[in-house]
Amino acid sequence: MRPEVTIALVSLTAVIVMMLAELKRSRANERLLRQRGATEPHGDPYRALALVYPGIFVLMAAEGALAGPSPDVLLIAGFALFVAAKILKLWAITALGRRWSYRVLVLPGVPLISTGPYAYLRHPNYAAVFGEIAGFAMMVGARTTGVISLIAFALLVRKRIAVEERALGSRYT
């Protein structure tokens, strides 16, 4: 197998395994949040994100497998960026604990988390996902679909953040 195909397949497999682990945790947390009275705001682009997020990694892997290998420096830099993004994401997930999920679920009367990365960034999970996308694109050599993926995700996240901010209302200080 050509190196670029191996890199794309191994990278994509790792990302899918991580996504499935996150999905399992998200669904467990969603059940608990709903039992505690959490509400989901209208207008959330969750369904689009649920398709686009994994889909962009598949497209980037396909481009990388067809386009040829990334230069070693991009492969290493992309891997480093991806790992750093995953660490930030895990920090955000840990800080939110049982309140983290893929869906926007708001517990009434519960204060916002302001510890961990939330002490420094308003939306560290989304910042981490941008790092995941950029790092993956660099690793596999997805120059075109990497840029398109970042733009597509940015458009969806912009709408998602507006939904979150509206749902959380005056709880932001």
Side-chain angles (χ1 to χ4, degrees):
M1 194 177 307
R2 295 184 348 248
E4 60 270 21
V5 174
T6 301
I7 291 168
L9 286 175
V10 168
S11 299
L12 182 60
T13 300
V15 165
I16 289 172
V17 167
M18 288 182 256
M19 279 185 197
L20 290 172
E22 289 172 4
L23 180 61
K24 182 178 178 183
R25 183 174 188 160
S26 174
R27 290 209 172 135
N29 288 347
E30 288 168 22
R31 282 190 294 278
L32 290 171
L33 287 164
R34 289 182 196 283
Q35 288 171 359
R36 292 178 56 201
T39 58
E40 190 168 7
H42 295 289
D44 183 12
Y46 171 77
R47 291 196 190 282
L49 282 165
L51 293 173
V52 169
Y53 180 55
I56 59 181
F57 287 95
V58 171
L59 290 174
M60 289 187 294
E63 180 186 355
L66 294 172
S70 280
D72 287 346
V73 69
L74 275 182
L75 176 66
I76 293 166
F79 181 75
L81 177 58
F82 186 87
V83 168
K86 273 298 181 193
I87 290 169
L88 175 60
K89 188 178 204 177
L90 289 172
W91 191 21
I93 290 170
T94 301
L96 288 174
R98 292 294 199 171
R99 289 167 61 180
W100 178 84
S101 79
Y102 280 156
R103 294 184 179 272
V104 177
L105 293 169
V106 180
L107 285 169
V110 177
L112 294 175
I113 300 293
S114 59
T115 59
Y118 292 91
Y120 309 100
L121 295 170
R122 196 152 168 164
H123 299 283
N125 193 79
Y126 298 137
V129 175
F130 281 108
E132 290 172 359
I133 295 167
F136 188 89
M138 291 166 64
M139 279 191 296
V140 300
R143 292 166 183 84
T144 303
T145 54
V147 172
I148 292 168
S149 296
L150 285 167
I151 292 168
F153 189 75
L155 293 172
L156 287 170
V157 164
R158 183 172 182 234
K159 182 173 182 176
R160 183 101 193 269
I161 288 173
V163 168
E164 284 182 15
E165 304 260 340
R166 196 170 48 252
L168 294 169
S170 63
R171 292 166 50 186
Y172 278 117
T173 56

